[in-house]
């Protein structure tokens, strides 16, 4: 149907997981890096979670296509098994021979342990991947814990990966499963795509399918993200239906109207937030409620003022009489009034209401905050009006990195960062973080630095961030399959930062020696020690490069 109409080789938006169509957003790169870490020499117990349709299974299939050297994989697709069936499924995946008469859990575990010891003696690593792990029964999860006890004196015989929906985290938080949860050495939660990443995801899949022109208009791409919230599976469903709708209308370009119609047909009735008529209707309703609220607040303020005036009048009169009377032994002088002076600027005591008010007064549009961040890197960079900022920065070898983490993550990456804070009085506002210590954060604003205790910020920051970093390699992921100048770059940076002595001449092929050097570097920097260079490792490798701005941690919180 629409394949020939749009001159494509195949359907670009099939919901079947296909590694050929994998779009490696920074989130997906980190997720794959965590799984690769789980297969490595120092790998252990890895947990990968994400909402339905965010691409977890596709990442697992991409891992399996890596053809990792000396790695055997058991992939359990159906977790709705009892304990014996579960261990039997592992044995069948690995080709373990076991006695079938009688078939007991003990005979299966003995056979599995013997197989793992033999593989270890041959220098092979064994990995167990469990998909849809949130459906595992508690007794099967206990069996998973017992499998982690299969080990030699120096390393685990079985590396385990749990892949599942967010309910998996809640399941592992149960008190009776705390022993299992405590053994997990690496966790990653895969979040949906942002607006820019959604557009890049769609364009990527179209190019893989053979497209050579623009099919979706920019407003249509925005509409897709607004409706799908960046979930890849929903993006595929809506885009597939939109292509079919455009074909039926003989339209070569897909508009927002086609996208909205496709979303209704593919997923169901659009929620009010995606219906323009409903949005206008709700704006009038919200306006009415806001007006009513303002009127109520005005009446309340007037009432309180009247009450305050009436209550303080007798006190004021008595005070004036006291002041007029001479001081005697029976009439002691009044005590001095308590000080109402504001605390010093350097104080980091949390007063959320005051802190939020200060932030709201200094809030600026995202464009102004982004411009301030860019100037920290290079004051000469000018982004043309109307051009995508991150795309323009790539020409200057600056990369945007959006992620999710904690204050410890921001300290480790050590770069000025844009945070979005949900302030009670004004909603989402963007601020540029330029200094960070254990108690407080400092933001650069048009009015100067603003220092806020972390205790106040914890309630309004959801962990999402945007920072810039200087790319030193052609790739944003350098691993065993990488060849060329990026490998030599890693050796040079490791030599500069860790005093590593690189081979001579510099290799152009990623090998075990580089993997070991990267692992040691990552351990020393508090990174996931997976022996490959993802974005966070590449950021850390650029720490001492000239003109690289970093987070300050001064005594007064100013950058």
């Amino acid at each position: 149907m629409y394949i020939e109409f749009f001159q494509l080789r195949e359907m670009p938006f099939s919901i079947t997981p296909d590694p050929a169509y994998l779009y490696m957003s920074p989130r997906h790169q980190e997720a794959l890096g965590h799984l690769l870490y789980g297969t490595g020499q120092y790998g252990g117990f890895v947990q990968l979670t994400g909402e339905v349709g965010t691409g977890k299974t596709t990442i697992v299939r991409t891992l399996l296509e890596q053809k990792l050297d000396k790695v055997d994989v058991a992939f359990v697709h159906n977790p709705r098994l009892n304990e014996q069936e579960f261990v039997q499924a592992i044995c069948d995946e690995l080709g373990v021979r076991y006695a079938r008469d009688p078939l007991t859990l003990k005979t299966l575990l003995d056979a599995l342990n013997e197989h793992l010891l033999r593989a270890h003696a041959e220098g092979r690593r064994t990995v167990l991947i469990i998909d849809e792990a949130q459906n595992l029964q508690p007794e099967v999860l206990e069996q998973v814990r017992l499998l982690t006890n299969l080990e030699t004196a120096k390393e685990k015989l079985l590396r385990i990966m749990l892949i599942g929906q967010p309910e998996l985290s809640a399941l592992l938080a149960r008190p009776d499963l705390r022993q299992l949860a405590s053994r997990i050495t690496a966790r990653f939660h895969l979040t949906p795509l942002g607006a820019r990443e959604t557009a890049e995801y769609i364009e990527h899949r179209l190019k893989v399918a053979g497209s050579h022109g623009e099919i979706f208009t920019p407003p249509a791409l925005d509409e897709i993200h607004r409706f799908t919230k960046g979930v890849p599976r929903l993006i595929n469903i809506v885009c597939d239906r939109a292509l079919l709708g455009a074909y039926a209308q003989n339209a070569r370009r897909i508009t927002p109207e086609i996208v909205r119609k496709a979303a209704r047909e593919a997923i169901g009735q659009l929620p009010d937030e995606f219906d323009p008529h409903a949005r206008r209707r709700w704006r009038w309703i919200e306006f009415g409620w806001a007006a009513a609220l303002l009127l109520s607040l005005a009446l309340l303020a007037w009432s309180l003022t009247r009450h305050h005036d009436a209550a303080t009048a007798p006190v004021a009169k008595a005070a004036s009489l006291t002041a007029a009377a001479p001081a005697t032994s029976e009439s002691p002088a009044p005590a001095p009034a308590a000080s109402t002076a504001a605390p010093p600027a350097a104080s980091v005591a949390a007063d959320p209401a005051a802190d939020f008010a200060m932030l709201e007064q200094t809030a600026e549009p995202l464009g102004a905050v982004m411009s301030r961040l860019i100037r920290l890197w290079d004051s000469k960079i000018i982004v043309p009006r109307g051009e995508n900022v991150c795309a323009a920065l790539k020409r200057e070898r600056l990369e945007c990195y959006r992620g999710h983490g904690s204050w410890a993550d921001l300290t480790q990456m050590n770069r000025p960062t844009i945070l979005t804070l949900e302030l009670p009085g004004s909603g989402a506002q963007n601020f540029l973080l330029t200094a960070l210590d254990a108690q407080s954060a400092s933001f650069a604003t048009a009015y100067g630095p603003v220092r806020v205790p972390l205790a106040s910020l914890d309630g309004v920051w959801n962990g999402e961030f945007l920072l810039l970093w200087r790319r030193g390699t052609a790739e944003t992921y350098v691993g065993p399959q990488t060849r060329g100048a990026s490998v030599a770059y890693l050796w040079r940076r490791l030599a500069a930062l860790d005093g590593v002595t690189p081979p001579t001449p510099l290799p152009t092929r990623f090998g075990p020696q580089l993997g070991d050097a990267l692992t040691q570097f990552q351990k020393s920097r508090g990174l996931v020690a997976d022996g490959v260079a993802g974005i966070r490792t590449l950021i850390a490798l650029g720490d001492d490069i000239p003109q690289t701005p970093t987070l300050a941690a001064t005594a007064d919180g100013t950058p």
Side-chain angles (χ1 to χ4, degrees):
M1 294 183 291
Y2 66 70
I3 295 177
E4 293 80 9
F5 182 76
F6 287 107
Q7 298 180 350
L8 304 172
R9 290 192 301 271
E10 55 190 354
M11 295 177 67
F13 296 105
S14 170
I15 61 173
T16 303
D18 185 347
Y21 280 89
L22 178 64
Y23 166 71
M24 292 296 286
S25 73
R27 297 171 178 84
H28 289 82
Q29 291 177 30
E30 285 200 60
L32 181 59
H34 275 70
L35 297 188
L36 285 168
Y37 160 72
T39 68
Q41 180 180 354
Y42 303 101
F45 202 159
V46 178
Q47 173 187 325
L48 172 63
T49 56
E51 289 290 351
V52 175
T54 49
K56 302 183 298 296
T57 303
T58 304
I59 290 174
V60 171
R61 293 187 183 279
T62 302
L63 173 73
L64 297 178
E65 288 203 347
Q66 296 285 315
K67 297 180 180 178
L68 300 168
D69 187 36
K70 295 185 177 181
V71 174
D72 301 324
V73 178
F75 191 8
V76 177
H77 306 265
N78 176 24
R80 293 189 178 277
L81 305 168
N82 62 33
E83 296 169 82
Q84 181 169 312
E85 292 170 338
F86 175 72
V87 178
Q88 187 176 0
I90 298 172
C91 291
D92 292 341
E93 280 283 306
L94 294 173
V96 177
R97 295 183 178 181
Y98 52 85
R100 297 180 180 271
D101 187 21
L103 182 61
T104 65
L105 182 58
K106 183 181 185 306
T107 59
L108 289 168
L109 288 172
D110 289 345
L112 177 60
N113 187 48
E114 183 181 347
H115 173 88
L116 294 175
L117 286 170
R118 188 164 53 251
H120 175 71
E122 295 171 357
R124 304 190 65 81
R125 301 188 296 275
T126 306
V127 178
L128 168 61
I129 302 176
I130 307 170
D131 202 7
E132 301 295 341
Q134 76 279 355
N135 294 323
L136 289 172
Q137 298 299 318
E139 56 271 17
V140 177
L141 281 169
E142 174 61 14
Q143 186 60 58
V144 172
R145 183 185 73 81
L146 294 175
L147 288 177
T148 64
N149 292 332
L150 301 177
E151 59 188 359
T152 66
K154 293 188 176 181
E155 65 178 275
K156 298 290 184 182
L157 292 175
L158 188 63
R159 293 151 177 82
I160 300 175
M161 301 180 187
L162 296 180
I163 316 296
Q165 297 169 22
E167 292 82 358
L168 175 61
S169 297
L171 178 63
L172 294 176
R174 288 174 37 165
D176 57 322
L177 294 175
R178 64 185 182 278
Q179 288 187 339
L180 174 63
S182 67
R183 300 191 180 195
I184 296 175
T185 56
R187 292 177 173 86
F188 189 81
H189 182 70
L190 188 60
T191 56
L193 304 174
R196 178 184 63 85
E197 292 168 335
T198 297
E200 292 179 353
Y201 172 85
I202 294 170
E203 292 168 1
H204 168 75
R205 294 190 72 104
L206 287 170
K207 286 181 180 178
V208 173
S211 173
H212 298 288
E214 185 181 79
I215 296 177
F216 289 83
T217 64
L221 295 172
D222 292 339
E223 199 74 357
I224 291 170
H225 179 262
R226 289 180 58 241
F227 182 70
T228 64
K229 303 296 188 185
V231 176
R233 185 176 300 170
L234 291 181
I235 295 172
N236 288 356
I237 292 172
V238 172
C239 286
D240 181 71
R241 186 65 191 182
L243 287 170
L244 183 61
Y247 165 72
Q249 298 178 29
N250 198 34
R252 296 288 180 182
R253 301 286 299 283
I254 294 177
T255 62
E257 292 74 19
I258 294 176
V259 169
R260 283 193 288 271
K261 185 173 184 293
R264 289 192 191 94
E265 294 173 350
I267 301 179
Q269 179 64 37
L270 289 178
D272 284 347
E273 63 177 303
F274 302 111
D275 185 337
H277 300 293
R279 286 202 302 269
R280 284 195 293 270
R281 182 169 64 251
W282 276 108
R283 276 199 292 267
W284 280 108
I285 293 174
E286 289 168 354
F287 176 79
W289 277 106
L293 178 61
L294 288 173
L295 179 60
S296 299
L297 290 174
L299 290 172
L300 178 62
W302 176 78
S303 174
L304 291 173
T305 302
R306 288 285 302 273
H307 176 75
H308 175 76
D309 291 345
T312 56
V315 178
K317 183 176 180 181
S320 65
L321 291 174
T322 302
T328 66
S329 58
E330 292 82 16
S331 175
S339 172
T340 59
S347 171
V348 295
D351 181 1
D355 295 330
F356 298 156
M358 178 170 55
L359 287 169
E360 285 166 349
Q361 291 172 6
T362 59
E364 301 173 273
L366 176 59
V369 179
M370 191 71 183
S371 295
R372 185 171 289 108
L373 174 59
I374 294 172
R375 288 198 298 272
L376 290 178
W377 285 88
D378 189 342
S379 60
K380 298 178 182 179
I381 295 178
I382 298 176
V383 177
R385 184 181 297 274
E387 186 172 351
N388 181 282
V389 175
C390 291
L393 291 176
K394 280 189 176 182
R395 295 196 295 269
E396 308 293 335
R397 298 190 70 81
L398 280 177
E399 294 285 330
C400 295
Y401 175 41
R402 295 176 176 85
H404 189 281
S406 63
W407 299 115
D409 291 315
L410 299 184
T411 301
Q412 185 275 316
M413 288 183 287
N414 196 26
R415 297 291 184 273
T417 308
I418 294 178
L419 306 183
T420 301
L421 307 180
E422 286 286 345
L423 301 179
S426 56
Q429 299 290 345
N430 299 288
F431 296 91
L432 176 58
L433 176 72
T434 53
L436 184 63
D437 58 33
Q439 289 80 34
S440 65
S442 183
F443 300 98
T445 75
Y447 305 93
V450 173
R451 191 182 184 198
V452 182
L454 298 187
S456 293
L457 296 173
D458 284 338
V460 295
W461 180 48
N462 66 359
E464 293 190 358
F465 61 82
L466 166 66
L467 57 80
L468 300 181
W469 63 286
R470 178 102 42 204
R471 182 199 286 251
T473 61
E475 302 85 6
T476 54
Y477 173 82
V478 183
Q481 308 300 319
T482 307
R483 306 288 185 272
S486 296
V487 174
Y489 170 82
L490 293 189
W491 276 117
R492 286 194 295 269
R493 297 308 305 147
L494 289 169
L497 292 170
D498 268 15
V500 174
T501 302
T504 305
L506 281 177
T508 57
R509 178 172 179 167
F510 195 105
Q513 188 178 356
L514 178 55
D516 291 342
L518 276 173
T519 298
Q520 294 305 315
F521 172 80
Q522 291 164 332
K523 287 181 177 179
S524 69
R525 298 302 195 278
L527 295 159
V528 174
D530 54 8
V532 296
I535 288 179
R536 293 202 181 185
T537 298
L538 291 172
I539 290 173
L541 286 169
D543 271 350
D544 68 339
I545 295 178
Q547 298 180 335
T548 297
T550 58
L551 288 177
T554 57
D556 64 355
T558 57

